Amino acid sequence: RDLHSFPTRRSSDLAITQGKAVVTKTGFVSESFSFLTRQERTEIARNVPPLHRENLPRNDLTNSGLSFRPQKQKRRRRPAHRSYDLRTGQTQPCAAAEKFQSSTRYSAIFVILLSQIIAKAMDFGFLRIAAAIPSVQVAGCRHNVSRIEKLIRQAAGRQAALVAFPELAVTGYTCGDLFTQRALLDGAESALADLLKSTSDCPTVCIAGMPVAAGNRLYNTAVVFCRGRVLGIVPKTYLPNYGEFYESRWFASGADFDGDSATLCGQRIPMSTGLLFGDDALCFGIELCEDLWVPVPPSSLQAAAGAHLIVNLSASDEMAGKHAYLRSLVEQQSARAMSAYLYCSAGFGESTTDMVFAGNALIAENGTMLGESERFSFDEQLLIREVDIERLQDRKSTRLNSSHPSRSR
């Protein structure tokens, strides 16, 4: 019973000896546990390896109040649905997001208010949006940003309220193991900072793909910025890891991101898979490439939360018959979500390895294809169409109200 008379060992050396005794950090504990304090019994219960628990003297342990049931992990409390006001920098309750029944993957829905920016761009309920296919140099961040800036200027000159660029457009999608190099990540952030300065006078909302490091992990993200300020970061949820894709080698899923913000270009930016941008008049959500190809895309949840427009940044390569399937996916998803769908995929500059990229830009509205870019073009492209936001709002509110479970009983 004298614990100190036995040689002590580290707690990491916890082991079962002869099937009856336990070594703890206080020393060697004999077969009888009745003399231990409650704190010591609790410590033993937490540290005994599960595979060896059946070898312990269970009668003495049970009589002493020692339990070997695995402790239940405390469920993390989900934050309330709130919106983030760019003008005041404060959060407030979001009525649209409160209606959304969040799943385990969507811990919260944050709505970034852009009412002042987008309201001026709407004309009789129509909104002009653009999908841009820039010239890309793999790992050439400075070159890529210069081409992005040129297309942003063109879109703004044609009165586009929003312009989207392909997945990882800042660095290039086919960088491979260069994504593990700090030089590339720092170069991408520095290039984005320069882009923010050069487009600070541009009223168009811009969405571009780039890698973002947060919490010792790297995420494949879409960065939303306007007037020289980053508004939000949306990480990719589903990472393809089959066939010619192996994104899990470099990136982590956005579903594994535990925080709600990240630091980028000296700013603390909201970052979540559950970000929506806009307000009740116009709200858009973002998903990336593979997110569209799963049984329940994030855009379905975003549409249920009130999104009228879905933007997809992609880097999808070409295969026989794949384009027709992709086209039907975009049309069907826009119909199911009762929304406009803007799809923007990587162009010829990414065709540097064993994959070929055609530069697909598609814009659909409620199941109807409004426009698509020229495939396999060696020139930069800017696809611009107008979507009827008021019509989408009316159809969404009418259909959701008539099909709501509580109203169909």
Side-chain angles (χ1 to χ4, degrees), residues 149-189:
E149 179 186 356
K150 177 184 176 182
L151 289 171
I152 290 175
R153 295 292 181 185
Q154 291 182 12
R158 297 174 62 178
Q159 306 300 315
L162 180 146
V163 59
F165 295 86
E167 181 181 8
L168 296 171
V170 174
T171 59
Y173 178 80
T174 54
C175 288
D177 284 351
L178 289 178
F179 284 122
T180 63
Q181 300 296 316
R182 174 55 59 182
L184 178 63
L185 304 181
D186 292 343
E189 185 172 357

Side-chain angles (χ1 to χ4, degrees), residues 11 20 26 34 45 48 61 76 108 119 122 124 150 160 223 234 242 281-283 291 298 330 339 376 406:
S11 58
K20 295 184 178 181
T26 57
S34 59
V48 171
L61 293 176
R76 185 175 58 190
M122 293 188 65
F124 296 101
K150 177 184 176 182
V223 178
V234 179
Y242 55 85
L282 172 65
C283 186
D291 294 343
V330 172
S339 65
F376 300 105
S406 62

Side-chain angles (χ1 to χ4, degrees), residues 250-280:
W250 314 296
F251 302 111
S253 169
D256 298 331
F257 181 65
D258 295 331
D260 57 9
S261 62
T263 302
L264 185 65
C265 297
Q267 306 176 31
R268 195 66 183 173
I269 311 300
M271 176 173 169
S272 172
T273 57
L275 281 181
L276 293 179
F277 300 82
D279 54 17
D280 292 336

Side-chain angles (χ1 to χ4, degrees), residues 39 125 345:
Q39 181 178 0
S345 184

